Amino acid sequence: MKYERSCLCCGKKYSYCNNCWDYRNYPLWMNSFHDENCKNIFETCTDYNFKLITKEQAKEALSKYDLSNRANFSACVKRDLNTILAENKPTFEKKDLFKSETTHEVVTKK
């Protein structure tokens, strides 16, 4: 009996039954994912969250996968991808060039 499933990564509907003879040659990960690309993306995000790999390692791994369907990914996968793929922008301290560095405040008592 085929069971309709939803991919944990992208939500795509697909049929799979790990007990059916017709699916005996399919990989077991198909219980959760419709294709290997989604499985790999999800695993990379999970490995990053559990600190098993660094951000750079996760970025490198994700560069090998197709992220074109990113708009349909689940909220948690989108969040993780945004974190992993975010560029580290250097921060600069803004200084006002026209304002003197030292200021003196005058307090008067009545």
Side-chain angles (χ1 to χ4, degrees):
M1 173 194 240
K2 294 181 185 178
Y3 292 103
E4 186 168 312
R5 300 177 181 275
S6 293
C7 178
L8 290 179
C9 185
C10 71
K12 182 177 179 176
K13 301 288 185 198
Y14 66 102
S15 295
Y16 175 77
C17 175
N18 61 336
N19 295 321
C20 295
W21 181 256
D22 293 342
Y23 294 95
R24 68 186 177 278
N25 293 325
Y26 286 70
L28 191 57
W29 53 256
M30 286 197 69
N31 275 318
S32 303
F33 308 101
H34 82 281
D35 70 3
E36 194 169 6
N37 186 62
C38 279
K39 175 190 81 75
N40 292 334
I41 292 169
F42 193 89
E43 284 179 347
T44 301
C45 291
T46 301
D47 289 348
Y48 174 73
N49 280 326
F50 284 111
K51 300 187 186 320
L52 299 174
I53 58 174
T54 65
K55 187 175 188 176
E56 290 74 27
Q57 290 171 322
K59 254 187 200 182
E60 184 180 331
L62 289 171
S63 70
K64 299 172 187 169
Y65 309 131
D66 179 17
L67 300 176
S68 62
N69 194 24
R70 191 172 173 177
N72 295 327
F73 288 169
S74 67
C76 62
V77 174
K78 284 181 187 177
R79 179 200 63 216
D80 294 342
L81 289 175
N82 288 337
T83 301
I84 293 168
L85 300 174
E87 293 297 322
N88 291 338
K89 296 179 182 174
T91 57
F92 296 102
E93 189 175 316
K94 263 189 164 180
K95 289 187 179 182
D96 191 356
L97 298 176
F98 299 108
K99 188 176 178 181
S100 67
E101 291 295 320
T102 56
T103 59
H104 302 285
E105 186 176 333
V106 179
V107 179
T108 57
K109 284 187 172 183
K110 289 187 178 184

